[in-house]
Amino acid sequence: MHFHKYEKIWLIFGILSLAVFLSIVGFTAFAHGNESVLCLPAGGMDTIDPEKVSEQAPFDKPGVRQIDEDRYEVVVVAQAFGYDPPDIKVPVGKEIIFTLTSTDVVHSFTIDNTKVNMMAVPGRITHKSYIFDKPGKYLVLCNEYCGSGHHYMSTEIEVYE
Ligand code: CUA
């Protein structure tokens, strides 16, 4: 195989860009590893049939449930262009485990002013644990472009004392 001089330059440029990109991704993953927001190791890559989300536990009953004295699970289904359940109320200072999936395209579940930025991917179940340290209302936004209603895709979490 013979490379023209410019093709070689582009090839090298391509490889360098890839190396830079991978090191940024690696660094970001490392930086996130030290934050208080932790992915549950067991649940990080669970899969689900996106067409049967509403039939399968826990997504057959979206909403808040108490696991034990200190832990709550919030089950959320994202779809164009909203979240189910439409309103979420959780206590302050307790571990809140968000369990998320999507029934159509990729969305996000991004809680404003926190480090929670979850991807809602059809076919996948994502978990994230978070403890709210202040009561109040938290805005949740979709940060992944998902279609004509993307900019209106939001909800609110009420964190109570
Ligand atoms: Cu859902 Cu953007």
Side-chain angles (χ1 to χ4, degrees), residues 78-97:
Q79 55 198 317
F81 300 98
Y83 301 94
D84 193 16
D87 57 336
I88 299 169
K89 292 187 177 114
V90 292
V92 74
K94 304 278 183 183
E95 184 181 8
I96 312 297
I97 299 163

Side-chain angles (χ1 to χ4, degrees), residues 107 142 144-146 150 153:
H107 302 277
C142 176
E144 291 290 323
Y145 185 76
C146 53
H150 164 71
M153 187 164 169

Side-chain angles (χ1 to χ4, degrees), residues 6-78:
Y6 291 107
E7 287 178 352
K8 252 188 203 164
I9 290 169
W10 279 112
L11 188 67
I12 290 165
F13 178 75
I15 291 168
L16 281 177
S17 317
L18 187 67
V20 168
F21 174 73
L22 288 178
S23 57
I24 291 169
V25 169
F27 176 76
T28 310
F30 174 77
H32 281 208
N34 291 332
E35 286 173 4
S36 58
V37 179
L38 297 172
C39 263
L40 296 181
M45 289 297 280
D46 285 352
T47 56
I48 187 168
D49 181 346
E51 287 178 359
K52 293 187 180 146
V53 164
S54 61
E55 296 163 30
Q56 288 178 54
F59 298 105
D60 54 344
K61 291 190 191 98
V64 184
R65 73 178 182 99
Q66 188 164 5
I67 302 170
D68 56 33
E69 208 177 308
D70 299 311
R71 290 186 306 162
Y72 290 75
E73 182 181 34
V74 181
V75 176
V76 181
V77 178

Side-chain angles (χ1 to χ4, degrees), residues 1-8 11:
M1 209 167 155
H2 176 80
F3 286 110
H4 189 270
K5 188 181 167 194
Y6 291 107
E7 287 178 352
K8 252 188 203 164
L11 188 67

Side-chain angles (χ1 to χ4, degrees), residues 86-149:
D87 57 336
I88 299 169
K89 292 187 177 114
V90 292
V92 74
K94 304 278 183 183
E95 184 181 8
I96 312 297
I97 299 163
F98 292 95
T99 300
L100 179 70
T101 193
S102 164
T103 57
D104 42 34
V105 296
V106 176
H107 302 277
S108 89
F109 186 85
T110 306
I111 309 175
D112 210 20
N113 293 320
T114 70
K115 287 168 179 171
V116 178
N117 184 15
M118 300 172 72
M119 293 279 277
V121 182
R124 264 203 222 160
I125 302 169
T126 6
H127 300 285
K128 186 84 92 184
S129 158
Y130 190 74
I131 297 170
F132 292 93
D133 55 10
K134 280 192 213 94
K137 290 190 172 167
Y138 291 74
L139 186 63
V140 179
L141 291 167
C142 176
N143 264 347
E144 291 290 323
Y145 185 76
C146 53
S148 59

